[in-house]
Amino acid sequence: MDVNLETKNSMNTKVIDNYSTLKSYLFLVPLFLLSAIVVFLYSQNSLSVANYIAVQKDWFYSINSHYSQFPITIYNLTQIGDALIFLSLLSVLLLSVPKLWEALLSASIVSAIFSNVFKNVFAVPRPAASFDTKSFTIIGQTLTGHNSLPSGHSITVFTILTVLLFSFMPQKISSKLLWSFFIICTGLIIVFTRVGLGAHFPLDVITGSCLGVISGLAGIFITQKCKVWSWIANKKFYPVFMVLFLVCGIIIVNKIMHENLIVFYFALISLIVSLYQITYAYIKK
């Protein structure tokens, strides 16, 4: 057997094995954190929109002040919360770990539903619509809509990171702890850039992160129960991804023309490599 093919098969098998060991009680962790947020807000008499904003005003200003000292870095990092960018970066894993991508697609649908539904339900105004815009730092576009809670970028980041966390979870306890610590810290650094940019309140990103974990877990369990995405590994459907990668590449090139950010180049390079890989695999006899 070809060594590369064997390696790819073993990676996918590893992911499948990891998924098979997951238990539904994992949902209790993000649900507990969400409950803790509600209890905290209730204890502070902050379940109303106005009080929700007021209770975290000082946190917002503090985090915004510290993060905004690194404008270029956080503006690049925050782009990872764009599903197009994050999934483009992971496109190189499509052929080697199709099971991962099955979970990612299911999880992304769940996260999109969560984001749209809860933003409309809560209708919390953004910081720029709540405070004097001269009193804090805004990097990038000034967002003034009433859709602050939850943070959509945070949902996306933790949805994808949760799938990655359990897909490549090591076997040793010490390695599991290190891997989990790395994923969680990476996610928190990325999502709090939303506060640094002046786009969200702290609890927006924490709530979004919890919903992202739920979305990621849901995507994995849906993949386990339903085989709706099993066609991903079928070679005859590779042209679908060729077109998809090409379209995504064009969109990212357009982004580069408007905002010359290094993270966009990484995403574009990943798509180019992925397009080459899948085209070669498709035409190879």
Side-chain angles (χ1 to χ4, degrees):
M1 178 184 290
D2 183 87
V3 176
N4 289 333
L5 180 58
E6 186 176 2
T7 301
K8 291 176 181 179
N9 289 338
S10 64
M11 287 179 63
N12 201 53
T13 300
K14 169 69 174 176
V15 171
I16 293 172
D17 290 342
N18 279 348
Y19 287 175
S20 67
T21 63
L22 298 185
K23 305 299 181 182
S24 57
Y25 63 71
L26 289 169
F27 284 104
L28 294 177
V29 176
L31 288 173
F32 171 78
L33 291 175
L34 288 173
S35 299
I37 292 172
V38 174
V39 170
F40 167 75
L41 291 173
Y42 177 77
S43 69
Q44 300 296 312
N45 192 30
S46 299
L47 290 177
S48 66
V49 172
N51 289 346
Y52 170 83
I53 294 172
V55 77
Q56 51 185 323
K57 180 179 180 179
D58 291 340
W59 308 342
F60 169 78
Y61 278 119
S62 177
I63 296 172
N64 177 263
S65 174
H66 284 87
Y67 257 77
S68 60
Q69 296 178 56
F70 314 96
I72 297 175
T73 300
I74 67 171
Y75 196 53
N76 271 278
L77 285 177
T78 204
Q79 307 305 322
I80 298 175
D82 183 337
L84 170 66
I85 301 303
F86 207 161
L87 293 177
S88 293
L89 291 169
L90 297 177
S91 61
V92 292
L93 297 176
L94 178 66
L95 290 183
S96 57
V97 199
K99 199 67 179 179
L100 166 70
W101 265 84
E102 289 182 36
L104 285 174
L105 290 176
S106 295
S108 295
I109 293 174
V110 175
S111 68
I113 293 172
F114 277 164
S115 181
N116 284 283
V117 169
F118 286 119
K119 280 180 178 291
N120 288 323
V121 168
F122 295 122
V124 174
R126 299 268 189 167
S130 306
F131 306 138
D132 181 355
T133 55
K134 295 180 180 179
S135 65
F136 64 96
T137 302
I138 297 176
I139 300 172
Q141 184 180 2
T142 300
L143 303 175
T144 57
H146 284 56
N147 57 352
S148 195
L149 177 67
S151 162
H153 279 66
S154 301
I155 294 177
T156 297
V157 168
F158 268 90
T159 294
I160 297 175
L161 285 181
T162 298
V163 174
L164 291 174
L165 170 67
F166 292 110
S167 296
F168 301 113
M169 182 68 76
Q171 294 301 311
K172 290 183 178 179
I173 296 297
S174 58
S175 298
K176 284 184 178 181
L177 292 175
L178 286 173
W179 175 238
S180 300
F181 179 77
F182 169 74
I183 289 291
I184 293 171
C185 287
T186 299
L188 290 176
I189 289 171
I190 295 172
V191 300
F192 272 99
T193 62
R194 302 305 294 165
V195 183
L197 296 174
H200 281 287
F201 298 104
L203 288 180
D204 295 347
V205 301
I206 295 174
T207 301
S209 299
C210 292
L211 291 174
V213 174
I214 294 172
S215 300
L217 287 170
I220 293 173
F221 283 108
I222 290 171
T223 300
Q224 290 292 87
K225 298 295 183 181
C226 308
K227 306 302 179 183
V228 64
W229 305 111
S230 58
W231 55 269
I232 288 176
N234 192 323
K235 185 176 179 179
K236 71 178 183 179
F237 291 106
Y238 284 2
V240 173
F241 290 99
M242 293 179 203
V243 174
L244 180 62
F245 291 162
L246 184 60
V247 171
C248 289
I250 293 171
I251 295 173
I252 292 177
V253 168
N254 186 59
K255 284 179 173 289
I256 291 173
M257 292 174 65
H258 287 83
E259 294 181 298
N260 193 28
L261 301 178
I262 190 170
V263 68
F264 293 157
Y265 286 97
F266 282 119
L268 182 61
I269 290 170
S270 181
L271 283 172
I272 292 172
V273 171
S274 303
L275 183 59
Y276 169 79
Q277 288 177 335
I278 201 166
T279 302
Y280 179 79
Y282 182 70
I283 64 177
K284 183 180 179 182
K285 293 183 180 180

